[in-house]
Amino acid sequence: MDFKSQLNINEVPNHIAIIMDGNGRWAKSHNKPRVFGHKKGVVSVRNVVEGAGEIGVKYLTLYAFSTENWNRPKVEVAALMQLLVATISNEVSSLNKNNVRLLTIGDLKSLPGNCERELEKAKEKTKNNTGLSLVLALSYSSKSEIVRAVKKIANDVVKNEVKIDAINDNLINDYLDTANVPSPELLIRTSGEYRLSNFLLWQIAYSELYFTNKYWPDFTKEDLFEAVFDYQNRERRFGLTSEQIKN
């Protein structure tokens, strides 16, 4: 089924977030080491970034590495970091060619020095691009992000730069890693798992959730278009009734 041709291009989500899950299980199902699944997952990233750009998505946030992932076997983590460095350096020219701007969220200081340097160089080289903004969540945890935001707000209150009565949703948004990124309308998770895994918990308060059994290395731009098609056939009420929305 050709989902792309059925999309209402005027109702494409402004921001899509994806929990890219299943690389290791995909590799196991193919009798390959886990890192082979991560390498195959890079191909899916390239495919989905291209697809998002084709339909006019403005922001695409990918959950690339969580703070909890540091607890995985050291060999796998080391391989992931090497893959990250190689991928970033190899993809910069492609990002520029496709007018994609690279952004990051998460604790980059916890990444190996070469990873952080490559990321900062890639962000600098793509900062003037005006198409899709690709946001990589690296060493990211939503709870940690919220804790950091609370500490920053508390510090500014102590310095009398923020009044207690001024603390509201909008102010908290301004202190999060995603301060300059709109909240996602659609969150996709691959691999058949039905949980959020500490990802953008504040930001997805009203996001539509879409789950697929496909492992991330098997997820293509057509699967992205299907998820957007499903999104466009839902009624988003934001606490209102159907009748209120229609009227």
Side-chain angles (χ1 to χ4, degrees):
M1 187 174 184
D2 179 14
F3 289 100
K4 184 180 179 181
S5 64
Q6 300 183 67
L7 296 180
N8 181 342
I9 211 67
N10 296 315
E11 294 183 4
V12 169
N14 190 41
H15 182 181
I16 297 176
I18 304 179
I19 300 175
M20 306 181 295
D21 194 26
N23 288 343
R25 278 166 287 164
W26 182 91
K28 185 177 181 180
S29 70
H30 288 77
N31 297 312
K32 300 285 187 179
R34 289 178 61 87
V35 70
F36 187 81
H38 296 307
K39 290 180 179 178
K40 185 67 167 60
V42 171
V43 178
S44 293
V45 169
R46 191 179 299 123
N47 203 342
V48 169
V49 168
E50 183 179 294
E54 287 178 12
I55 59 175
V57 175
K58 296 301 183 186
Y59 293 87
L60 177 66
T61 298
L62 302 179
Y63 203 6
F65 193 84
S66 73
T67 54
E68 289 82 5
N69 288 154
W70 290 113
N71 296 319
R72 290 188 174 186
K74 291 183 179 180
V75 173
E76 181 178 351
V77 172
L80 273 170
M81 292 300 109
Q82 291 175 1
L83 179 61
L84 177 60
V85 171
T87 300
I88 293 166
S89 58
N90 291 336
E91 294 296 324
V92 170
S93 60
S94 178
L95 293 176
N96 282 326
K97 179 181 177 181
N98 292 290
N99 198 25
V100 176
R101 177 178 60 150
L102 181 66
L103 303 173
T104 57
I105 58 174
D107 181 16
L108 297 191
K109 296 296 182 185
S110 66
L111 298 175
N114 57 340
C115 289
E116 185 183 3
R117 286 192 297 273
E118 287 298 324
L119 283 165
E120 293 302 333
K121 285 195 292 185
K123 287 159 66 175
E124 179 65 23
K125 290 177 180 178
T126 63
K127 68 179 182 181
N128 294 321
N129 292 339
T130 58
L132 173 72
S133 289
L134 173 61
V135 186
L136 295 183
L138 291 159
S139 195
Y140 175 85
S141 153
S142 186
K143 286 186 175 182
S144 294
E145 176 192 27
I146 293 169
V147 168
R148 286 197 302 274
V150 170
K151 287 181 177 179
K152 290 175 187 175
I153 293 170
N155 186 55
D156 285 348
V157 168
V158 169
K159 293 190 295 184
N160 206 33
E161 294 178 2
V162 170
K163 302 296 184 183
I164 292 291
D165 291 342
I167 300 175
N168 56 24
D169 288 8
N170 291 331
L171 185 132
I172 293 173
N173 284 336
D174 290 341
Y175 280 80
L176 295 172
D177 292 359
T178 54
N180 297 311
V181 177
S183 294
E185 292 93 344
L186 174 63
L187 171 72
I188 300 169
R189 179 166 189 151
T190 60
S191 88
E193 302 290 356
Y194 294 85
R195 55 179 176 270
L196 300 176
S197 295
N198 205 358
F199 184 49
L200 299 177
L201 300 179
W202 175 276
Q203 296 88 337
I204 63 170
Y206 276 102
S207 299
E208 295 296 320
L209 307 182
Y210 180 90
F211 299 97
T212 174
N213 289 325
K214 283 196 172 184
Y215 293 140
W216 177 247
D218 289 327
F219 193 85
T220 67
K221 66 170 72 175
E222 279 302 318
D223 296 306
L224 175 70
F225 299 152
E226 181 177 0
V228 174
F229 178 79
D230 179 88
Y231 164 87
Q232 291 185 345
N233 283 278
R234 299 185 187 186
E235 181 181 67
R236 307 190 73 211
R237 295 193 295 272
F238 300 97
L240 302 177
T241 66
S242 295
E243 289 74 18
Q244 286 176 302
I245 295 294
K246 291 173 183 176
N247 292 330

